[in-house]
């Protein structure tokens, strides 16, 4: 939409961003697997996640209205925040299809919105593969697009596989009473990612433009076994064992990326 909409009242569109990040590792023994789960639980417990989201909210200039958090047994945690922001001016363009800010240059804002994070650490009982998943949701009402914080959040986590969903829901009316079901142009979620992120990941889109639904899958291109083994060094493994572990790890990543099991 080339010209700014003249609205009748408040912008009633809801813009929802959901993304899942997966960190995958190999833990050779039961003790190492347990140590990995405990490490994840300690690193990303409810208190730590609350601090992470609080820092994000502070950086983007929003105000926390309410916080709910919970650690679960045996593993995992959740945090939900209701946040609000100052009234934005007409000169600010939050819907431009361009990458959002990086961690060292934050200028994004959220308005009348919420942010949630849920974690799911788990371990394969036989293959030695352990996976940590974090689900993050950002929902905004009005002019601001949550896509502007996507770039920052992806850069805040080390992620092997990422799936991103964006949807604009509802409608808003212009001064003539015409309903509008989206208030900005968008071709791909990829356009909101920085160049280094696009270069680092293999990405595919599955978009339903007529329904204002956008989906992007991302899988890290570079593979260094040392970054995936927990409690040991890759150089200490027998070459055949190292190859077997690498194959299992890559299969796990592919299965998550394509959302189907590989026989």
């Amino acid at each position: 939409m080339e010209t700014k909409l003249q609205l009748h009242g408040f912008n009633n569109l809801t813009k929802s961003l959901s993304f899942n990040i997966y960190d995958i590792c190999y833990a050779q023994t039961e003790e190492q697997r347990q140590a990995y789960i405990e490490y994840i639980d300690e690193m990303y417990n409810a208190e730590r996640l609350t601090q992470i989201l609080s820092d994000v909210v502070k950086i983007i200039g929003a105000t926390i209205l309410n916080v709910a958090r919970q650690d679960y047994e045996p593993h995992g945690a959740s945090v939900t925040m209701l946040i609000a922001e100052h009234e934005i001016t007409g000169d600010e363009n939050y819907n431009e299809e361009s990458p959002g800010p990086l961690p060292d240059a934050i200028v994004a804002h959220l308005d009348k919105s919420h942010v949630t994070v849920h974690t799911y650490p788990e371990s394969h009982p036989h293959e030695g593969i352990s996976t940590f998943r974090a689900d993050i949701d950002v929902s905004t009402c009005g002019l601001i697009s949550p896509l502007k914080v996507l770039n920052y959040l992806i850069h805040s986590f080390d992620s092997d596989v990422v799936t991103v969903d964006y949807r604009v829901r509802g409608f808003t009316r212009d001064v003539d009473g015409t309903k509008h079901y989206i208030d900005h142009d968008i071709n791909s979620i990829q356009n909101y990612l920085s160049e280094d992120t696009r270069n680092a990941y293999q990405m595919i889109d599955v978009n339903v433009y007529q329904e204002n639904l956008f989906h992007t899958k991302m899988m890290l291109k570079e593979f260094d076994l040392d970054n995936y083994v927990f409690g040991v060094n890759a150089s200490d493994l027998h070459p055949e064992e190292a190859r077997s572990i690498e194959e299992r790890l890559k299969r796990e990543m592919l299965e998550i990326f394509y959302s189907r099991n590989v026989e």
Side-chain angles (χ1 to χ4, degrees):
M1 298 180 181
E2 297 180 357
T3 58
K4 192 173 295 185
L5 289 175
Q6 298 298 312
L7 299 180
H8 175 73
F10 182 71
N11 189 333
N12 287 310
L13 292 171
T14 299
K15 300 159 188 173
S16 298
L17 173 70
S18 299
F19 72 99
N20 316 107
I21 64 169
Y22 297 87
D23 178 71
I24 300 161
C25 88
Y26 176 81
Q28 190 173 30
T29 67
E30 180 59 35
E31 283 130 357
Q32 289 171 347
R33 286 192 287 272
Q34 187 60 36
Y36 172 76
I37 297 294
E38 291 175 358
Y39 164 77
I40 289 295
D41 261 1
E42 181 178 352
M43 283 292 295
Y44 297 102
N45 60 27
E47 182 178 359
R48 174 60 177 155
L49 291 172
T50 300
Q51 185 58 56
I52 290 173
L53 291 190
S54 297
D55 290 343
V56 169
V57 172
K58 185 184 300 183
I59 289 171
I60 62 179
T63 301
I64 299 172
L65 300 178
N66 183 269
V67 178
R69 68 186 191 186
Q70 180 67 51
D71 286 305
Y72 299 110
E73 289 292 340
H75 310 296
S78 296
V79 178
T80 299
M81 290 184 176
L82 296 180
I83 62 179
E85 177 41 44
H86 61 76
E87 181 180 358
I88 64 174
T89 68
D91 295 331
E92 297 173 278
N93 187 357
Y94 291 97
N95 286 319
E96 180 185 356
E97 193 177 21
S98 61
L102 292 169
D104 59 352
I106 299 298
V107 295
H109 299 277
L110 297 177
D111 185 43
K112 301 177 182 66
S113 55
H114 68 262
V115 181
T116 67
V117 58
H118 308 281
T119 66
Y120 306 87
E122 63 88 41
S123 182
H124 192 290
H126 306 299
E127 294 291 332
I129 303 295
S130 296
T131 304
F132 168 65
R133 182 176 110 235
D135 296 350
I136 300 176
D137 295 278
V138 182
S139 184
T140 68
C141 230
L143 297 176
I144 297 171
S145 171
L147 286 165
K148 287 299 185 179
V149 301
L150 175 62
N151 202 53
Y152 172 78
L153 289 170
I154 287 182
H155 277 74
S156 298
F157 293 88
D158 292 325
S159 310
D160 298 310
V161 180
V162 184
T163 62
V164 188
D165 292 283
Y166 176 65
R167 182 180 185 184
V168 181
R169 295 178 294 164
F171 63 85
T172 194
R173 295 183 189 272
D174 62 23
V175 292
D176 296 322
T178 302
K179 292 189 289 293
H180 295 269
Y181 298 92
I182 193 168
D183 63 350
H184 63 97
D185 293 326
I186 174 172
N187 292 317
S188 171
I189 292 172
Q190 296 185 35
N191 295 335
Y192 290 85
L193 299 174
S194 61
E195 183 177 0
D196 62 328
T197 300
R198 295 196 301 270
N199 291 337
Y201 287 87
Q202 172 187 343
M203 295 189 286
I204 59 174
D205 284 352
V206 182
N207 300 324
V208 185
Y209 296 104
Q210 64 270 28
E211 298 295 335
N212 297 322
L213 291 168
F214 304 88
H215 177 73
T216 297
K217 296 181 178 183
M218 308 166 56
M219 183 171 64
L220 201 62
K221 294 178 182 177
E222 184 177 335
F223 187 95
D224 183 346
L225 188 57
D226 262 323
N227 295 331
Y228 292 90
V229 289
F230 187 83
V232 297
N233 295 320
S235 58
D236 296 331
L237 299 171
H238 188 278
E240 289 186 7
E241 183 182 16
R243 282 194 295 271
S244 175
I245 293 171
E246 182 172 334
E247 288 176 1
R248 277 178 273 173
L249 287 165
K250 288 183 175 179
R251 183 178 65 185
E252 181 82 357
M253 293 172 63
L254 283 170
E255 289 182 341
I256 295 172
F257 182 67
Y258 288 110
S259 300
R260 62 175 60 94
N261 295 325
V262 177
E263 298 297 336

